[in-house]
Amino acid sequence: MQTIQLKSRPVGVPKLSDFKFVTEEQPQIAEGEILLKATHISVDPYLRGRMMEGKSYVEPFELNKAISSGMIAEVVESKLAGFSKGDFVSGMLEWKEVQVSKGEGLLRVDAKKAPLSSYLGVLGMTGLTAYFGLLEIGRPKAGETVVVSGAAGAVGSIVGQIAKLKGCRVIGIAGSDEKVEQLVSESGFDTAINYNTAENMSQAIAEACPNGVDVYFDNVGGEISDGVMMNLNRFARIIVCGAISMYNATSVPMGPRVQPILIKNSVLMQGFVVSNYLEKWGEAIPQLAKWLQEGKLKSTETIVEGFENTPQAFLDLFEGKNKGKMIVKI
Amino acid sequence: MQTIQLKSRPVGVPKLSDFKFVTEEQPQIAEGEILLKATHISVDPYLRGRMMEGKSYVEPFELNKAISSGMIAEVVESKLAGFSKGDFVSGMLEWKEVQVSKGEGLLRVDAKKAPLSSYLGVLGMTGLTAYFGLLEIGRPKAGETVVVSGAAGAVGSIVGQIAKLKGCRVIGIAGSDEKVEQLVSESGFDTAINYNTAENMSQAIAEACPNGVDVYFDNVGGEISDGVMMNLNRFARIIVCGAISMYNATSVPMGPRVQPILIKNSVLMQGFVVSNYLEKWGEAIPQLAKWLQEGKLKSTETIVEGFENTPQAFLDLFEGKNKGKMIVKI
């Protein structure tokens, strides 16, 4: 039985050698426990933060211990009331092919209602992150202009679709012509910008947003965001969801100071994590599921096959190799 | 009759030669107008922004035209109902010894209820800026730690006192030992830091704020703020009120990117101008006046005598020569 551990804390861009595979004995369950067989692993940019030491909103991973992330697993044996053999569950689990759980923090998911992978994507933390960031912080009004960076990523592609459902004009920023094309043709964005070919991001945003930017959902930070910041309207809202451009930095990333822009246009910038809205998850998940069933929300996923490919799938996030949610299927 | 005009748009630190005095003929009033004689001029750091070209929340000053700011004036002749000779008014007026007004935007102020200068300070835009920034954006709760930069300045000294009234622990940052001492002894701050002698601002804040920083009222930006940002608690609120450290910059000021900090601690950063809360001024002014009358709020003012010293008083703001509100008395 294989497990994937953190071998060393990455310096800069993580490498395969920062991970190690360790073979462990098949665990046994006691009364009050269930045995879980992993079926899907979510790999997410934020895990990079947990690979570093230091205080953050979640504890850092320990060296020589299994990494954990959102996963789907099948109950293969149960000595715990409420869980039966054959059930599927989602939750924060360890990167192990097989593991024991007491059921804490696990949700039962229904493979008949939606594909299992969607419980890690649009119906999981990814969808909830998009939903709460956009609606609670961004508060988009019909007719407003919403810009999304990392638009072809897991969260970004959902943000754009929800913004369209709210009647906004939606502009995506992504890293290839193919992604840009798909954002418009498949995800319903009004237009999209390829940041790798745009000569001047501020000007590209100005051209794509003749009425300025009211809401900016930021998954990337860095120079892309600097360009968007030059085009903010009065009372604009910036949802600071991710900063993938900085996660692998080895020194403190520097950039133009934002305070003058915030004052000039009475701009709000708000960082968040999805767990801040835990008490509202119960209303958000049915809404996301309804949009999904009605075909109003499309789930874009990049599925990688094989437990052994989990570290590489994680590394590929930083090269933008995923479209939508990156998931490892076991 | 003298008027002070903008002669040239300052590059970097403004100079006396950016201003010029022009003698104009004494104006005459028509029906529906009043003749005003200036008694007090408010000089404020934000005026630096209006001396530059380009879109902002207020129009830039025009070259070779009178500068304007918050002022108190006496009605010396009236052909307008509602205003009588001998009344005092406050409002946005021009830097002219005498001027004509149609009464738009003017408020009558009562010299018997409070010193005239206080209508530019604690009972004027300064007090309202402190009040709304702290209470509407900062939302301080009793027991929380509030840090104020530019603490000995016009807005900062009021922010600290209101935060104390709300039961917070309050730490000020100012630029001299004398100011630091007065913040504690006169304005009731719990402690204060001299940024000119603190070796490491982040460490100085950490020592002064053993429980971290919940609310940061930022009047200055720059490296002082970088130090505060290293000590923010989860769900901290940053009121971005001013950035005096950047107003005279001749290139885009660079600094550590804030996004990772905002995400890590779910921090809110909000820029604002006091006019955003116009519809609530009517409830705030009586509250400020009540605190003032009860002695719970002290008004600190630096009064400069003489219309001809107005430009120099403005320049002195950027050297921190004021304690509290800087006002020119004519």
Side-chain angles (χ1 to χ4, degrees), chain A residues 140-189:
Chain A
K141 293 189 276 286
E144 286 192 322
T145 299
V146 176
V147 171
V148 187
S149 64
V155 172
S157 58
I158 298 174
V159 168
Q161 293 179 76
I162 298 177
K164 284 306 299 178
L165 287 170
K166 296 294 175 183
C168 298
R169 182 173 150 75
V170 182
I171 288 86
I173 307 172
S176 75
D177 286 344
E178 188 193 352
K179 285 180 178 176
V180 158
E181 197 277 320
Q182 289 182 354
L183 284 174
V184 175
S185 64
E186 292 176 19
S187 302
F189 284 59

Side-chain angles (χ1 to χ4, degrees), chain A residues 40 115-122 157 298-303 322-327:
Chain A
H40 299 78
L116 283 174
S117 58
S118 68
Y119 293 103
L120 294 178
V122 63
S157 58
K298 285 179 196 162
S299 173
T300 309
E301 294 172 351
T302 299
I303 306 279
N322 57 309
K323 280 177 211 144
K325 181 70 185 169
M326 180 82 109
I327 288 169

Side-chain angles (χ1 to χ4, degrees), chain A residues 16-61:
Chain A
L16 281 182
S17 58
D18 293 321
F19 302 88
K20 66 176 172 185
F21 286 80
V22 174
T23 303
E24 292 181 352
E25 253 183 69
Q26 177 92 8
Q28 303 290 321
I29 58 170
E31 204 55 45
E33 294 181 336
I34 49 178
L35 193 66
L36 296 174
K37 186 167 152 260
T39 64
H40 299 78
I41 298 178
S42 172
V43 291
D44 306 274
Y46 83 88
L47 298 172
R48 177 67 182 83
R50 296 194 63 187
M51 293 175 187
M52 294 188 283
E53 277 180 304
K55 194 181 129 193
S56 184
Y57 56 88
V58 279
E59 288 298 297
F61 293 128

Side-chain angles (χ1 to χ4, degrees), chain B residues 302-320:
Chain B
T302 299
I303 306 279
V304 171
E305 301 268 346
F307 183 75
E308 68 280 10
N309 293 318
T310 306
Q312 185 62 51
F314 171 70
L315 302 188
D316 285 348
L317 291 171
F318 297 96
E319 309 210 355

Side-chain angles (χ1 to χ4, degrees), chain A residues 55 226 253 255 257 264 269, chain B residues 55 226 253 255 257 264 269:
Chain A
K55 194 181 129 193
D226 297 342
R257 291 187 180 277
K264 183 171 151 183
M269 243 179 133
Chain B
K55 196 181 129 193
D226 298 342
R257 292 187 180 277
K264 183 172 152 184
M269 245 179 132

Side-chain angles (χ1 to χ4, degrees), chain B residues 9 19 21 37-38 59 80 88 92 99 107 110 123 133 143 145 157 179 196 223 225 232 246 259 262 271 323:
Chain B
R9 302 203 180 278
F19 302 88
F21 286 80
K37 185 165 153 263
E59 287 299 296
L80 175 62
F88 288 94
M92 289 300 288
Q99 62 197 286
L107 286 175
D110 189 340
L123 300 182
T145 299
S157 58
K179 286 180 178 177
N196 278 315
E223 290 178 14
S225 296
L232 296 175
M246 302 183 217
Q259 287 87 347
L262 302 192
K323 280 177 212 144

Side-chain angles (χ1 to χ4, degrees), chain B residues 8-82:
Chain B
S8 50
R9 302 203 180 278
V11 177
V13 179
K15 301 177 296 295
L16 280 181
S17 58
D18 293 322
F19 302 88
K20 66 176 173 186
F21 286 80
V22 175
T23 304
E24 293 182 352
E25 253 182 68
Q26 176 93 7
Q28 304 290 322
I29 58 169
E31 205 54 46
E33 293 181 336
I34 49 179
L35 193 66
L36 295 174
K37 185 165 153 263
T39 64
H40 298 79
I41 298 178
S42 172
V43 291
D44 307 274
Y46 83 89
L47 298 172
R48 177 68 181 83
R50 295 193 64 185
M51 293 176 186
M52 294 188 282
E53 278 181 303
K55 196 181 129 193
S56 185
Y57 56 87
V58 280
E59 287 299 296
F61 294 129
E62 285 181 58
L63 288 176
N64 305 312
K65 294 241 170 128
I67 291 167
S68 57
S69 71
M71 291 173 59
I72 307 289
E74 184 180 357
V75 178
V76 289
E77 192 186 344
S78 177
K79 295 185 179 176
L80 175 62

